[in-house]
Amino acid sequence: MSTADTSQDAVIIGGGFYGAAIAIYLARQRGLRRILLVERAPALLTRASYNNQARVHNGYHYPRSFTTAYRSRVNLPRFLRDWPDAVKQDFTKLYAIARRNSKVTAKQFERFCREIGARIQPAYPTLQALFEPRLIEDVFLVEEYAFDATKLASWAERELKECGVQIRFETRVTAISNGSNGTLLATLQPDRGAEELITSRYVFNCTYSGLNQFKGDFAGTRTGLKQEITEMALMQVPPALQGLGITVMDGPFFSIMPFPARGLHTVSHVRYTPHMHWNDEQGIDPSEKLRQYHRETRVDRMLRDVGRYLPAVRDAKYVDSLFEVKTVLMKNENDDGRPILFEKHPELPGCYSVLGGKIDNIYDVLEKLDAEQFVAPGTR
Ligand SMILES: Cc1cc2nc3c(=O)[nH]c(=O)nc-3n(C[C@H](O)[C@H](O)[C@H](O)COP(=O)(O)OP(=O)(O)OC[C@H]3O[C@@H](n4cnc5c(N)ncnc54)[C@H](O)[C@@H]3O)c2cc1C
């Protein structure tokens, strides 16, 4: 093992949206100068920050979790302000309510939207006509958008460079330990080459599904996590569905969302998108599990069911699937809430683990970081 002479103010583990945004925040808002971001993949935002449904939430999705719905309402305008070029707004968004097996009725959904102050109106008859009336109780026109992960990645690249954040790609952090004089030690394992030890005052663990895969003094997160291998099918939709995003609520149903990074739509289905799940624990590396997974698509089953509600989807062409590990806080398995995980590790002072259940939760994380005292460089 070589001990690099580099001593950092902060090491950020994970170059997804969260790791990048936190590195930029620490440099721009908190004056930390020597920041090293370590990413296992060869590029930024290639994992969950890319392989997702691209929905910029506005609350509609969460009739069973008022807090998550409310936070989405607060965060959406900020996200539009901060990343205007990365947000696709030029499509029509519909929420439809199923007649059977739905956990919410059309009336309850309307009332809930009014309670959280989210815009809702009946869909025009031409749009209503897309749905099978025997299965769909009502269809609403709402205000919800989609983000383009490739544009967020370009933003991250540009900003990290401007802030002087160093990046190490194709390198894994394998252990976090206590060093001397209140410092932390991160063990880096490059894909090619020998292990290195980096000394840092702070370590931010922004690895999403990899949060618990560290050796050394890292004792794991106190919050229990559930991991799911998920599939979203990428489709070329027929003209009748172009320019639309559709979600059928609330329960064992589906969504069809624009996926701006590829100019396609994703289809996800509550029954078929999750392929397998397990309780997170150290030693079961979710990335490795995903790499070994057979990835047999379930698109036929998704479309068979979706086609019952929305016959036009039968003319959609399957292109590809996005497989990813989705990480959910165990306590939200049943209410679908998507709060953040923000933990300090008493056994490793200066080490933080962070997970945002959705992209706009970044504001909730930054609010938590605002409340932290960071020792500015040169005062140690
Ligand atoms: C199927 C699915 C659908 C979703 N739909 C939406 C949606 O519509 N809207 C929404 O807002 N959110 C959605 N989400 C959630 C959203 O994707 C996440 O909240 C967000 O991407 C998390 O960003 P992140 O930076 O924490 O994770 P990631 O983007 O996964 O970044 C973590 C990074 O850490 C790296 N890494 C891991 N371990 C190590 C290590 N030991 N050393 C170095 N690097 C490491 C990984 O390679 C990865 O690049 C969805 C997620 C999934 C999986």
Side-chain angles (χ1 to χ4, degrees), residues 14 16-18 39-40 48-49 52-53 55 173 208 356-359:
F17 180 69
Y18 277 82
E39 169 53 51
R40 189 173 179 164
S49 296
N52 61 56
Q53 207 169 44
R55 187 192 306 267
V173 173
Y208 192 64
K358 3 185 218 77
I359 219 89

Side-chain angles (χ1 to χ4, degrees), residues 13-19 38-41 45-57 147 171-174 206-208 210 213-214 230 232 273 324-326 354-360:
I13 317 173
F17 180 69
Y18 277 82
V38 186
E39 169 53 51
R40 189 173 179 164
L45 276 74
T46 57
R47 290 296 308 274
S49 296
Y50 182 90
N51 298 318
N52 61 56
Q53 207 169 44
R55 187 192 306 267
V56 187
H57 281 276
F147 61 87
T171 302
R172 252 178 88 192
V173 173
T174 54
C206 309
T207 54
Y208 192 64
Q213 304 310 316
F214 297 100
T230 52
M232 278 173 311
T273 286
E324 186 50 275
V325 180
K326 184 171 192 165
V354 166
L355 179 143
K358 3 185 218 77
I359 219 89
D360 60 285

Side-chain angles (χ1 to χ4, degrees), residues 14-267:
F17 180 69
Y18 277 82
I22 288 170
I24 293 161
Y25 163 87
L26 294 173
R28 287 221 192 278
Q29 315 287 329
R30 307 303 298 268
L32 299 194
R33 292 199 198 115
R34 292 165 305 170
I35 302 177
L36 175 69
L37 189 152
V38 186
E39 169 53 51
R40 189 173 179 164
L44 297 170
L45 276 74
T46 57
R47 290 296 308 274
S49 296
Y50 182 90
N51 298 318
N52 61 56
Q53 207 169 44
R55 187 192 306 267
V56 187
H57 281 276
N58 195 9
Y60 302 101
H61 221 65
Y62 301 107
R64 284 178 282 138
S65 175
F66 188 85
T67 319
T68 299
Y70 179 74
R71 288 307 300 184
S72 304
R73 292 280 304 134
V74 171
N75 289 338
L76 175 113
R78 294 168 162 182
F79 199 87
L80 292 180
R81 181 197 63 207
D82 292 341
W83 287 280
D85 300 337
V87 181
K88 180 178 170 62
Q89 300 193 31
D90 59 348
F91 67 98
T92 301
K93 188 65 218 262
L94 302 174
Y95 269 67
I97 310 296
R99 284 192 192 281
R100 281 190 288 276
N101 296 329
S102 179
K103 295 178 178 162
V104 66
T105 65
K107 276 229 157 3
Q108 287 167 336
F109 184 67
E110 253 187 305
R111 194 181 323 125
F112 156 76
C113 290
R114 297 199 200 294
E115 271 168 20
I116 59 166
R119 203 179 290 170
I120 179 164
Q121 67 183 77
Y124 309 121
T126 46
L127 295 171
Q128 297 255 7
L130 288 167
F131 296 84
E132 167 55 63
R134 278 171 302 178
L135 297 180
I136 293 291
E137 184 192 349
D138 213 341
V139 185
F140 299 102
L141 194 60
V142 303
E143 194 180 9
E144 196 181 67
Y145 307 122
F147 61 87
D148 183 334
T150 54
K151 292 198 173 147
L152 291 177
S154 306
W155 163 83
E157 250 168 61
R158 210 173 44 242
E159 287 284 308
L160 289 167
K161 195 168 172 198
E162 264 183 34
C163 294
V165 173
Q166 279 183 60
I167 309 181
R168 292 282 300 269
F169 286 116
E170 297 178 300
T171 302
R172 252 178 88 192
V173 173
T174 54
I176 311 168
S177 309
N178 285 300
S180 51
N181 302 327
T183 60
L184 294 168
L185 292 172
T187 308
L188 272 57
Q189 176 62 69
D191 284 357
R192 286 169 293 273
E195 261 186 8
E196 290 171 44
L197 268 186
I198 301 281
T199 306
S200 182
R201 178 69 188 82
Y202 302 104
V203 170
F204 292 85
N205 172 14
C206 309
T207 54
Y208 192 64
S209 59
L211 279 190
N212 283 315
Q213 304 310 316
F214 297 100
K215 298 200 168 104
D217 297 324
F218 187 81
T221 57
R222 290 179 294 285
T223 311
L225 301 176
K226 185 182 147 195
Q227 309 281 15
E228 270 178 10
I229 291 188
T230 52
E231 175 189 8
M232 278 173 311
L234 281 169
M235 313 288 302
Q236 181 79 57
V237 296
L241 300 179
Q242 274 163 24
L244 293 181
I246 293 167
T247 296
V248 175
M249 293 288 282
D250 174 16
F253 303 114
F254 62 88
S255 277
I256 301 181
M257 278 292 287
F259 190 73
R262 297 272 301 267
L264 296 166
H265 280 67
T266 50
V267 175

